[in-house]
Amino acid sequence: MLRFLVRRSLGAVVILFLLSIVTFLLFFGMPRDPALLICGKTCNPQSLANIHHVLGLDKSIPEQYAIFLHNLFLGSNGFAQGPCPAPCFGYSYHTNDQVWATLMDRLPTTVSLTLGGAFFFLLIGLGTGLMAAWKRGTLIDKSATAGSMVLGSMQIYFLGPLALAVLVYQTHWFSKPAYNEFTANPITWFTGLIIPWLVLSTIFAAQYTRMARSSMIEQLQEEHVRTARAKGMSRRYVFFRYAWRGSLIPIVTIFGIDLGSLLGGAIITEYTFGLPGLGQLAVQSVFFSDLPLLLGVMLFSAAMILLFNIIVDAAYAFIDPRVRLS
Amino acid sequence: MTSPIDVEGGGTSVLVDGTPGPDAKSEAAKLEGRSPGQLMWLRFKRDRTGVISAYVVGFFFLVGLLAPLIAKLYGKNPYTVYADERPELFDSAGVPLQPNGGISSEFWFGLEPGNGYDVFTKLLYGIRTSLMISVAVTIATVVTGILLGVAAGYLGGRSDFLISRVIDFLLAFPAQLFFIASMPVVVSLFVSPRDETPTYVRVVALIAVQWFLGWMSLARILRGTSLSLREREFIEAARVSGATPWRIIRKEILPNVVTPILVQSTYMLPGFVTAEAGLSYLGIGIVEPTPDWGQMFSKASTELVMQNDITYMFFPGISMIIFIVAFNLLGDSVRDAFDPKTAR
């Protein structure tokens, strides 16, 4: 287990390293001058040169990257805005805040959104899927299948504004979604996020329904399940103890992927509901051409995806003892 | 080779489809046997869900293709700002006065709150823009996927290792984030940030970024398929008889990977449509006044629409759901037709 974790983590670090090079090249190595993006429409050569010097763009690309890496691991005192401790992505061009501090500031929103959304879509998705598999072939099954097909084809940029318009603007049943800190007031935290959670879970639940249904049906046809039934175990016991455990692997796989990519920023959801998370931060930094911030979000998000890939693979060994990690 | 039962099944479906002919003649035709492609087509035609979804999908493509013609017959275009031309139709905030988003015999789908564009033509042209971009992305990714996937699988060795590592690496990219982050960079390759960005540059940039992170899944599948094909006798026979690798790939391998290509691309295209719409929704893809499906959603999520009249929201929303559902069903049917063994 330990060997597996070490090996996979090293692999993830290598990928992150390559990814940082590619992203860095994409942002800073293009023939087009990033300072021009910052300088804006009222630009003169004087201010351009000034920006170049302040951002260190007058150095060569490998030199800039080396400085970036140095700052990332060792921190730097070279910034005009002040010192920048160890995981240092520099300072935002736009707000002049530390990138790492901004990321950490935005993270709780994204984590709240993800965890709440995950709770609801697992509950709804798996519940419906199991129900459909239990009542296979009945009207319940058919409507669950059809419903998940249609809901799964919905997009957050349609369902989100629709939910906002109906529940907030037209009927005034809910207040506008907002992020309030859990530690300050759990109730406003909950009410502020309930609409985003439900919208997110409506769309994500569909694939869990489909997945749970099809793998449960597959598992129920396995021979060990038939044997268990034949020796007199109840249908319910076999359903939850035998078939359910067998169908966990594909569900855990998808769940890990979803969780990883949501934690890296649920871009469209956060943008739609105006939640100040990592995804919204990414969109804002694109509009302000804030390259250090964008680079920070990119690497953070990729790290989340890789981290959850490793967690999922490690989880296989717990779910299915036959899986050997090596 | 073909069992008699199969032949009979095929025969009836031919008759059902209304190709009458003397029995004796069709009897002779049946015995000739069918190519896998024909068999697939027969199976597909019997799948009612698949055929209906194919018609729906075809309808969307037709609408996109004929958008200028339909708009001409209808007598409007998506660029006229009716808020300026016909201010009597709107209230002071720019919301259509008539109920249900200003739907009338003149404006079939109503008027857009704000600028007052005609929604019907806007939607037609929006579907056109979105589908053109998505088809271009699909073609680009399929070509890349074939080239790299088959090359990796057939050539093996160092090129396989290299391509597989690139695939693994690109799959670790946060795709959506990469799209939004690289759009301005790609755009700035073509135009200076101080100038206005022409629409075609945005289109090219949208295609480029989606292509860059879109080809890996197909390439991976094709790599696996051609890796197993490489060991088969008929490839070996071709190699022994002196065929060049290029000829083997073209004549022996490609015809055998048509199935995964078709199935995979029917799954990929709706994904590209929604991704492109998502980018335009965020304001990073196509921007006004060029009509675009996704950009209609961004208009629909403004407070003006959400507070006053939400009718406008449903036209892009419902049409996209229909399109995506139909395309997904079509994808399932195509897969079933090619591979009847995998039950849903």
Side-chain angles (χ1 to χ4, degrees):
Chain A
M1 190 61 177
L2 191 68
R3 255 187 74 186
F4 164 81
L5 286 180
V6 169
R7 203 170 50 89
R8 286 295 303 267
S9 309
L10 284 180
V13 168
V14 170
I15 288 187
L16 274 182
F17 180 68
L18 287 173
L19 203 127
S20 75
I21 293 181
V22 170
T23 324
F24 198 85
L25 274 181
L26 181 75
F27 292 156
F28 294 95
M30 283 292 178
R32 190 61 65 180
D33 187 350
L36 266 182
L37 291 167
I38 303 148
C39 200
K41 297 203 195 300
T42 55
C43 198
N44 57 49
Q46 179 61 47
S47 59
L48 197 64
N50 200 17
I51 291 176
H52 270 184
H53 184 70
V54 169
L55 302 180
L57 294 173
D58 40 8
K59 301 190 177 71
S60 73
I61 300 291
E63 225 174 319
Q64 288 181 44
Y65 183 71
I67 292 173
F68 169 76
L69 275 190
H70 175 271
N71 293 349
L72 187 57
F73 289 110
L74 301 172
S76 162
N77 287 317
F79 286 96
Q81 292 92 334
C84 178
C88 169
F89 289 93
Y91 279 85
S92 151
Y93 290 172
H94 181 66
T95 60
N96 280 329
D97 288 332
Q98 261 183 50
V99 170
W100 181 252
T102 313
L103 289 181
M104 288 303 108
D105 187 41
R106 298 299 191 100
L107 190 60
T109 311
T110 301
V111 171
S112 301
L113 180 66
T114 305
L115 292 185
F119 172 75
F120 281 109
F121 68 64
L122 275 186
L123 193 74
I124 300 172
L126 295 183
T128 322
L130 290 181
M131 181 95 89
W134 179 264
K135 305 236 173 210
R136 192 187 171 189
T138 62
L139 193 65
I140 294 177
D141 177 22
K142 284 188 183 119
S143 42
T145 313
S148 72
M149 182 100 200
V150 174
L151 289 179
S153 304
M154 279 232 200
Q155 299 298 318
I156 293 180
Y157 42 75
F158 174 51
L159 195 62
L162 186 64
L164 267 187
V166 172
L167 298 175
V168 178
Y169 286 96
Q170 305 279 334
T171 58
H172 301 287
W173 287 345
F174 292 85
S175 55
K176 248 189 122 191
Y179 175 69
N180 305 300
E181 269 179 50
F182 179 76
T183 45
N185 187 346
I187 295 172
T188 51
W189 173 79
F190 184 83
T191 51
L193 287 172
I194 183 78
I195 296 180
W197 285 339
L198 289 180
V199 166
L200 201 64
S201 57
T202 311
I203 285 157
F204 274 79
Q207 62 169 336
Y208 289 89
T209 302
R210 270 198 301 262
M211 174 101 17
R213 180 185 174 272
S214 63
S215 58
M216 281 304 275
I217 286 173
E218 202 174 290
Q219 284 292 319
L220 286 172
Q221 287 162 347
E222 291 275 328
E223 273 161 20
H224 68 276
V225 172
R226 201 177 346 145
T227 313
R229 284 288 282 147
K231 72 181 185 188
M233 286 170 157
S234 75
R235 183 165 180 229
R236 183 190 299 255
Y237 189 85
V238 169
F239 193 83
F240 286 107
R241 277 305 176 86
Y242 284 57
W244 170 239
R245 290 190 75 172
S247 55
L248 265 179
I249 283 216
I251 293 168
V252 166
T253 309
I254 301 240
F255 184 60
I257 293 171
D258 281 348
L259 217 54
S261 56
L262 280 176
L263 278 178
I267 299 170
I268 293 185
T269 315
E270 287 173 13
Y271 177 83
T272 304
F273 296 109
L275 300 172
L278 289 172
Q280 199 202 37
L281 187 68
V283 177
Q284 282 169 351
S285 56
V286 168
F287 279 118
F288 294 121
S289 303
D290 203 336
L291 301 184
L293 204 50
L294 205 49
L295 191 63
V297 183
M298 274 289 266
L299 288 181
F300 188 83
S301 175
M304 281 296 159
I305 294 178
L306 291 168
L307 176 69
F308 274 86
N309 280 345
I310 298 175
I311 293 178
V312 164
D313 287 351
Y316 287 161
F318 289 106
I319 299 165
D320 187 345
R322 287 168 301 182
V323 173
R324 290 254 180 88
L325 301 170
S326 58
Chain B
M1 293 282 260
T2 330
S3 75
I5 297 154
D6 260 337
V7 170
E8 249 161 44
T12 45
S13 93
V14 165
L15 283 178
V16 165
D17 284 317
T19 37
D23 253 2
K25 200 182 161 193
S26 64
E27 203 67 37
K30 274 182 226 156
L31 291 176
E32 279 172 18
R34 294 189 179 85
S35 71
Q38 283 168 319
L39 283 173
M40 175 260 155
W41 181 238
L42 286 175
R43 271 199 295 270
F44 181 75
K45 275 199 297 193
R46 253 179 276 151
D47 185 348
R48 202 185 304 154
T49 325
V51 172
I52 293 173
S53 347
Y55 276 120
V56 174
V57 168
F59 172 74
F60 272 91
F61 277 100
L62 207 64
V63 161
L65 209 63
L66 299 179
L69 187 71
I70 300 171
K72 200 161 206 173
L73 292 174
Y74 172 68
K76 305 218 165 38
N77 67 61
Y79 304 103
T80 312
V81 181
Y82 283 98
D84 292 344
E85 301 260 312
R86 306 265 298 273
E88 71 275 10
L89 291 171
F90 301 88
D91 66 9
S92 56
V95 182
L97 280 175
Q98 281 185 312
N100 299 325
I103 292 181
S104 62
S105 57
E106 195 187 354
F107 301 100
W108 293 354
F109 284 6
L111 291 155
E112 183 199 81
N115 289 327
Y117 293 114
D118 173 57
V119 178
F120 181 66
T121 46
K122 189 105 175 152
L123 185 62
L124 293 186
Y125 274 82
I127 291 175
R128 179 183 167 90
T129 319
S130 290
L131 288 187
M132 279 197 318
I133 293 174
S134 314
V135 168
V137 177
T138 311
I139 292 173
T141 48
V142 165
V143 170
T144 318
I146 293 174
L147 284 179
L148 293 180
V150 172
Y154 181 71
L155 300 177
R158 202 172 293 163
S159 48
D160 180 25
F161 180 80
L162 195 71
I163 293 171
S164 301
R165 289 296 83 75
V166 171
I167 291 176
D168 288 344
F169 172 56
L170 289 181
L171 282 175
F173 261 67
Q176 208 173 24
L177 203 52
F178 176 82
F179 291 160
I180 66 166
S182 54
M183 266 302 285
V185 180
V186 178
V187 166
S188 76
L189 277 182
F190 295 96
V191 284
S192 150
R194 271 172 290 182
D195 300 334
E196 211 51 51
T197 312
T199 305
Y200 79 91
V201 170
R202 290 182 172 275
V203 171
V204 170
L206 273 174
I207 295 172
V209 296
Q210 290 196 75
W211 160 79
F212 186 70
L213 286 187
W215 56 271
M216 291 91 69
S217 58
L218 181 67
R220 197 177 234 191
I221 292 169
L222 291 185
R223 173 186 170 269
T225 321
S226 34
L227 201 63
S228 68
L229 280 173
R230 190 173 63 160
E231 309 300 326
R232 299 272 286 273
E233 283 88 352
F234 67 95
I235 305 275
E236 219 168 293
R239 206 179 302 143
V240 169
S241 52
T244 59
W246 173 236
R247 193 194 148 82
I248 293 176
I249 287 176
R250 206 161 35 92
K251 289 274 182 185
E252 314 288 344
I253 295 198
L254 276 186
N256 279 298
V257 294
V258 168
T259 310
I261 292 173
L262 257 178
V263 172
Q264 199 61 26
S265 43
T266 49
Y267 280 126
M268 284 191 315
L269 200 138
F272 292 138
V273 170
T274 54
E276 189 269 337
L279 285 175
S280 299
Y281 170 75
L282 294 173
I284 291 160
I286 305 288
V287 292
E288 296 228 272
T290 312
D292 179 85
W293 220 344
Q295 177 214 308
M296 291 183 84
F297 287 103
S298 81
K299 199 75 184 202
S301 67
T302 52
E303 291 209 348
L304 188 67
V305 175
M306 292 197 289
Q307 220 147 29
N308 296 299
D309 191 345
I310 58 170
T311 319
Y312 174 74
M313 207 178 265
F314 289 99
F315 292 107
I318 302 283
S319 59
M320 184 168 273
I321 292 176
I322 295 174
F323 179 76
I324 303 292
V325 169
F327 224 115
N328 285 339
L329 288 173
L330 178 70
D332 288 346
S333 296
V334 169
R335 193 195 55 202
D336 290 350
F338 272 117
D339 191 0
K341 274 170 293 184
T342 54
R344 237 181 282 169

